[in-house]
Amino acid sequence: MDLLNLKRSAIGASNCHGELNKNVTRRGRSVSSTGFPSSPIKHLSWTIPITDKSRNSFFISALPSGKGGLVNIFNLPSIDIHLSQEFDLLETYEDEYGGVIIDPKSLPLNANAFISSLRASLSSWKKKGKRGVWLKLPIEYVDLVPVAIKEGFSYHHAEPTYTMLTYWIPDGECMLPPNASHQIGVGAFVINANREVLAVREKHGNLEDSQTWKMPTGLINQSEDIFTGAIREVKEETGIDSEFLEVIAFRHAHHVLFEKSDLFFLCGLKPLNLDIVKDDSEILAAQWMPLQEFASQPFYHEQSMCKKMLDACIASFENRYKGFSAFQSYEACDSHPSCFYFNDRDIN
């Protein structure tokens, strides 16, 4: 090889160094002009071994001006290029059962970045022996739901502001707890000193077209106690303030709304006022109804469960039966007070 060709080869090697620097400037840029595949790359590194200016090392130095700009070349360059792909792992915190809960604040909005980080994270969690993965996607991340499903996640439950997905890492049956299996309802038996029952007729529901008078009922809200829910339902439907006395009894049913199970707690309450102000949006009519008239309705004779409930309510009012009182207390493991319902008369 003549000196001119050696010069061109050396200049080409030097330009390669410059081109690599030009094309790989920051994370996420593709490399095209160098011939490397276009893909997300965190960093591209290469090494050119240089020790000292000996005949066994490579260096390029310009000759003094006026010498034609020639370069001294002892060996052709040896360029070792290392491509490495690295992605940020998703931030998590541990659950109580050897799994992880992904921090929603660490989620990237970009689907491609999410896929890369999720795959890298799953690989890391598998190596660490993690079990279940909980992925909470706020509503603004709704576009990531089908992406996570394609990566093997499953629906767990949804709320107005988020969707919860799960991933079970070990082989075999998934041991993550399922979504809530029950809904909780309350019925309020409110009777005054004149043996009159607080009765309502609803605008909606199974009894809307009948002439049946019933006690106020409703569903317990999230983080609401049974006894406070009963007091609230009475107030909302009829305007009557009341005092909780006891849980008279409860019913357990299955395959109700959305195939969920249902717990219905029958509560005895004492009225604190008598002036009814009904909720026009839900209640068609409300009145204080004599107990005997209330109990004589066909509905309570044709329905064995309802008759049994009413019999328990009357026995409780007449002190022939004792239900469960509420004992509310803070425990060391609770951040909020919890209630224990029990028959305090017989215990005392």
Side-chain angles (χ1 to χ4, degrees), residues 329-343:
S329 173
Y330 279 94
E331 301 298 330
C333 59
D334 297 330
S335 57
H336 300 282
S338 57
C339 282
F340 175 64
Y341 295 88
F342 69 107
N343 183 332

Side-chain angles (χ1 to χ4, degrees), residues 22-54:
K22 181 178 70 175
N23 283 283
V24 185
T25 57
R26 64 175 182 269
R27 181 180 179 184
R29 289 284 299 272
S30 298
V31 180
S32 58
S33 61
T34 60
F36 296 109
S38 178
S39 62
I41 297 175
K42 184 171 183 179
H43 65 268
L44 179 64
S45 63
W46 62 97
T47 60
I48 302 177
I50 299 177
T51 55
D52 56 5
K53 296 182 179 181
S54 67

Side-chain angles (χ1 to χ4, degrees), residues 1 3 25 27 50 58 81 84 105 108 118 172 184 209 221 230 239 257-258 279 281 296 298 306 332-333 347:
M1 181 180 294
L3 184 60
T25 57
R27 181 180 179 184
I50 299 177
F58 165 75
I81 297 180
S84 63
K105 296 178 182 178
L118 184 61
I184 299 178
D209 296 327
N221 293 330
L257 187 64
F258 303 118
D279 178 6
S281 65
S296 65
C306 294
C333 59
I347 286 183

